[in-house]
């Protein structure tokens, strides 16, 4: 009886303890150092920014969690190695990130040192033939004399551009805006410190790139939307009983409806889950395979980086070997549509982190948008089927409770905005304001890049609304 009484009293205290103490505090410190290491490394060696610019903008969203200042702090810049180390002593474990050719910066595990950099993944991918400065847009960067349809109201268009850059809060920091109409660039503007060559992080806009690569394999019959994926789930239980997670299909994970435990939610995105892979050197695959099934697949929408990474794992397994996996994005997509400036990064195990870790510029994202605007055709070649584009634009069934605003790794116009902007518009979306908006009705692609921070998010549908004020019958 005394033992039972103790258990009841102890159990009653647990909710109080959970509310009063952050058991993930050590993880948060580790991940904080990793965020700063990765963003600083990419800012310096992928984007070509100065350390002062990195602290002023790339690290702005960390707020008072930033370690040090541009002048000094518990970090080191190893310019000869193209690497950054952050932390140590009272500031938590040292986390390092190193630039790797063809990939951008790869984050290392806390127990790795600078001597381990040569063993990190790298991608030897020769640039496509030709000088992009001499190749006409959109395959290259040679722009003909600007032409704007006379029916477009130039003053209204200029006002929309100013609206994007001149925000009433410093937390909305537009760094580039590019508008393509009928295949031609009609607006291209950059903030101070940026130009058309500057690569910045796409964050979750990468998910739409991942969906494109996956769609190519579905089109070829190498993957299937509705077949059980049957991964080797973790932990490995053995036995004859089938794992209930085997009911999850590619469609479920692309629709963010796997039914698996949500580990990137409830304030834990910088404490555990995919954050450990993004920022602390953990495997992006082991974590994705370790979640338990909590709901029937397809029944509940929950935005999870790991759902995307499970789809990327299925994509990898559709290819014959590791080399084919690493070469596929460049060979089959990026190089074929002129996305020469785009780097798809991996974790330290060589797995593409295509839920977030991509660096590119505004023009490359405009090319990506044009591929979708042209319904999967580039030049005289079809790269993606119309059926696949129809899938990514179809509302995920479980998203109906939130306005049917999500498709297959693409975002859709929510039900309550369809009187303001065309209902058939759709977009990518990434943290800190990374958007590629497709408006088929007006033959438009809009790319907005940002380094936003704080709670006041930039609204892409408001941006499209302002731009369309310049268009007749919009």
């Amino acid at each position: 009886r005394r033992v039972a009484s103790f258990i009841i009293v102890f159990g009653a205290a647990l909710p109080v303890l959970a509310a009063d103490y952050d058991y993930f505090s050590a993880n948060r410190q580790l991940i904080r150092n990793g965020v700063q290491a990765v963003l600083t490394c990419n800012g310096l060696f992928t984007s070509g920014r100065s350390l002062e610019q990195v602290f002023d903008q790339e690290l702005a969203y960390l707020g008072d969690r930033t370690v040090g200042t541009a002048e000094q702090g518990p970090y080191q810049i190893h310019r000869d190695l193209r690497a950054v180390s952050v932390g140590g002593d009272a500031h938590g474990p040292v986390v390092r990130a190193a630039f790797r050719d063809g990939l951008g910066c790869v984050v290392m595990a806390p127990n790795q040192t600078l001597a381990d950099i040569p063993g990190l993944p790298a991608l030897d991918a020769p640039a496509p033939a030709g000088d992009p400065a001499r190749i006409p847009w959109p395959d290259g960067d040679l722009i003909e004399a600007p032409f704007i349809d006379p029916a477009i109201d130039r003053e209204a268009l200029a006002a929309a551009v100013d609206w994007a850059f001149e925000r009433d809060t410093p937390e909305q920091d537009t760094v580039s805006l590019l508008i393509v109409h009928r295949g031609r660039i009609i607006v291209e503007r950059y903030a101070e410190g940026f130009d058309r060559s500057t690569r910045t992080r796409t964050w979750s806009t990468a998910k739409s790139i991942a969906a494109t690569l996956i769609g190519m394999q579905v089109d070829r019959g190498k993957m299937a939307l509705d077949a059980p994926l049957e991964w080797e789930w973790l932990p490995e239980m053995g036995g004859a009983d089938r794992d209930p997670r085997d009911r999850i299909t590619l469609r479920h994970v692309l629709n963010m409806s796997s039914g698996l435990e949500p580990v990137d939610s409830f304030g834990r995105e910088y404490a555990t889950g995919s954050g450990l892979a993004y920022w602390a050197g953990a495997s992006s695959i082991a974590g994705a395979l370790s979640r338990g099934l909590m709901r029937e697949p397809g029944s509940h929408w929950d935005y999870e980086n790991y759902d995307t990474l499970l789809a990327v794992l299925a994509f990898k397994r559709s290819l014959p070997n590791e080399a084919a996996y690493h070469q596929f994005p460049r060979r089959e997509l990026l190089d074929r549509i002129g996305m020469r400036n785009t780097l798809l990064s991996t974790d330290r195990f060589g797995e593409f982190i295509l839920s977030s870790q991509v660096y590119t510029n505004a023009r490359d994202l405009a090319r990506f948008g044009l591929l979708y605007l042209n319904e999967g055709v580039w030049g005289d070649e079809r790269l993606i089927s119309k059926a696949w584009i129809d899938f990514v634009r179809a509302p995920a069934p479980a998203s109906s409770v939130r306005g049917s605003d999500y498709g297959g790794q693409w975002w859709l116009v929510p039900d309550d905005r369809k009187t303001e902007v065309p209902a058939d518009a759709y977009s990518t979306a990434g943290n800190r304001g990374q958007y590629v908006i497709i408006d088929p009705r007006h033959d438009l692609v809009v790319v907005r890049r940002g380094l936003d921070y704080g709670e006041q998010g930039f609204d892409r549908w408001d941006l499209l609304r302002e731009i369309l004020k310049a268009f007749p019958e919009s």
Side-chain angles (χ1 to χ4, degrees):
R1 293 192 185 106
R2 283 194 299 271
V3 171
S5 175
F6 171 76
I7 291 173
I8 291 170
V9 172
F10 181 68
L14 279 177
V16 177
L17 290 172
D20 290 349
Y21 186 79
D22 180 7
Y23 286 94
F24 291 110
S25 59
N27 276 16
R28 293 185 198 279
Q29 188 179 48
L30 170 70
I31 289 173
R32 177 204 64 190
N33 291 347
V35 171
Q36 185 159 332
V38 172
L39 295 185
T40 302
C41 177
N42 275 308
L44 295 174
F45 305 118
T46 302
S47 305
R49 308 265 283 154
S50 70
L51 187 60
E52 291 74 17
Q53 289 171 325
V54 168
F55 268 88
D56 185 49
Q57 290 181 299
E58 274 81 350
L59 301 181
Y61 92 110
L62 291 176
D64 58 9
R65 293 174 295 160
T66 306
V67 179
T69 66
E71 288 71 39
Q72 61 181 355
Y75 63 83
Q76 291 181 290
I77 310 299
H78 315 280
R79 293 191 180 273
D80 56 331
L81 298 172
R82 296 185 292 179
V84 173
S85 304
V86 177
D89 298 326
H91 299 281
V94 176
V95 182
R96 300 175 176 88
F99 182 89
R100 304 296 289 163
D101 288 334
L103 299 176
C105 292
V106 174
V107 67
M108 305 169 71
N111 63 345
Q112 290 186 296
T113 69
L114 298 174
D116 294 308
I117 291 176
L120 296 175
L123 183 60
D124 181 14
D131 178 0
R134 299 187 177 188
I135 299 173
W137 169 266
D139 296 283
D141 288 321
L142 180 63
I143 304 294
E144 301 174 1
F147 173 81
I148 298 181
D149 188 328
I152 296 175
D153 185 329
R154 290 173 179 259
E155 290 187 6
L157 186 62
V161 175
D162 290 341
W163 181 94
F165 280 87
E166 298 168 10
R167 310 302 298 141
D168 57 4
T169 169
E171 293 183 0
Q172 294 179 11
D173 187 6
T174 300
V175 301
S176 61
L177 180 68
L178 196 150
I179 303 175
V180 180
H181 180 232
R182 295 178 180 169
R184 294 173 178 257
I185 296 175
I186 62 170
V187 167
E188 186 171 21
R189 177 172 162 180
Y190 298 93
E192 182 179 355
F194 297 84
D195 58 34
R196 64 181 176 86
S197 68
T198 308
R199 295 184 288 210
T200 54
R201 187 183 179 98
T202 65
W203 297 89
S204 288
T205 277
K207 292 178 169 69
S208 303
I209 297 174
T212 307
L213 299 170
I214 291 165
M216 290 178 162
Q217 285 295 81
V218 171
D219 287 342
R220 297 171 188 184
K222 302 297 185 181
M223 301 175 72
L225 268 175
D226 295 308
L229 291 171
E230 298 183 342
W231 293 289
E232 293 80 25
W233 297 100
L234 298 175
E236 297 178 4
M237 301 298 291
D241 293 341
R242 182 174 178 177
D243 193 311
R245 292 174 289 185
D246 287 344
R247 298 199 302 272
I248 299 170
T249 66
L250 181 62
R251 185 187 299 273
H252 292 141
V253 291
L254 292 176
N255 281 166
M256 292 293 183
S257 307
S258 68
L260 293 168
E261 176 193 4
V263 295
D264 286 337
S265 305
F266 311 109
R268 293 184 297 174
E269 58 269 29
Y270 289 94
T272 184
S274 63
L276 291 172
Y278 282 13
W279 316 113
S283 165
S284 61
I285 295 304
L289 290 170
S290 298
R291 295 184 292 156
L293 191 67
M294 297 184 67
R295 297 181 173 91
E296 184 65 26
S299 67
H300 181 82
W301 190 91
D302 184 78
Y303 191 82
E304 286 288 325
N305 295 318
Y306 273 152
D307 276 15
T308 305
L309 291 174
L310 286 173
V312 173
L313 174 60
F315 163 72
K316 177 183 181 179
R317 292 182 177 179
S318 75
L319 294 162
N321 52 51
E322 196 89 6
Y325 169 63
H326 287 141
Q327 294 166 5
F328 189 101
R330 290 231 67 90
R331 186 183 67 243
E332 302 298 332
L333 176 63
L334 304 181
D335 289 352
R336 293 170 80 176
I337 66 173
M339 292 181 69
R340 299 166 179 252
N341 302 286
T342 301
L343 297 179
L344 278 56
S345 297
T346 70
D347 63 17
R348 64 189 177 96
F349 304 97
E351 307 290 350
F352 284 118
I353 307 182
L354 274 170
S355 51
S356 178
Q357 181 78 344
V358 173
Y359 272 73
T360 189
N361 62 9
R363 285 196 177 185
D364 272 14
L365 287 181
R367 294 179 175 100
F368 179 65
L370 275 174
L371 177 63
Y372 274 82
L373 184 68
N374 294 332
E375 298 189 330
V377 174
W378 193 264
D380 58 359
E381 186 177 14
R382 176 165 292 281
L383 301 184
I384 319 168
S385 70
K386 179 66 164 56
W388 184 257
I389 295 178
D390 289 343
F391 160 68
V392 302
R393 296 177 58 190
S399 74
S400 61
V401 297
R402 46 177 293 118
S404 298
D405 65 345
Y406 199 78
Q409 306 285 291
W410 284 78
W411 291 86
L412 315 177
V413 178
D415 291 339
D416 62 358
R417 301 299 301 272
K418 289 180 178 177
T419 59
E420 299 179 70
V421 296
D424 59 348
Y426 59 112
S427 84
T428 74
N431 189 27
R432 307 195 70 182
Q434 322 309 316
Y435 301 116
V436 181
I437 306 167
I438 318 296
D439 177 3
R441 188 178 307 177
H442 296 92
D443 208 347
L444 274 178
V445 173
V446 179
V447 176
R448 189 267 183 179
R449 309 300 310 280
L451 284 172
D452 303 341
Y453 59 96
E455 298 298 324
Q456 301 182 46
F458 188 93
D459 192 310
R460 62 193 178 278
W461 305 123
D462 285 352
L463 173 61
L464 182 57
R465 178 199 64 206
E466 294 302 308
I467 291 171
L468 291 181
K469 290 178 181 178
F471 286 75
E473 301 178 5
S474 61

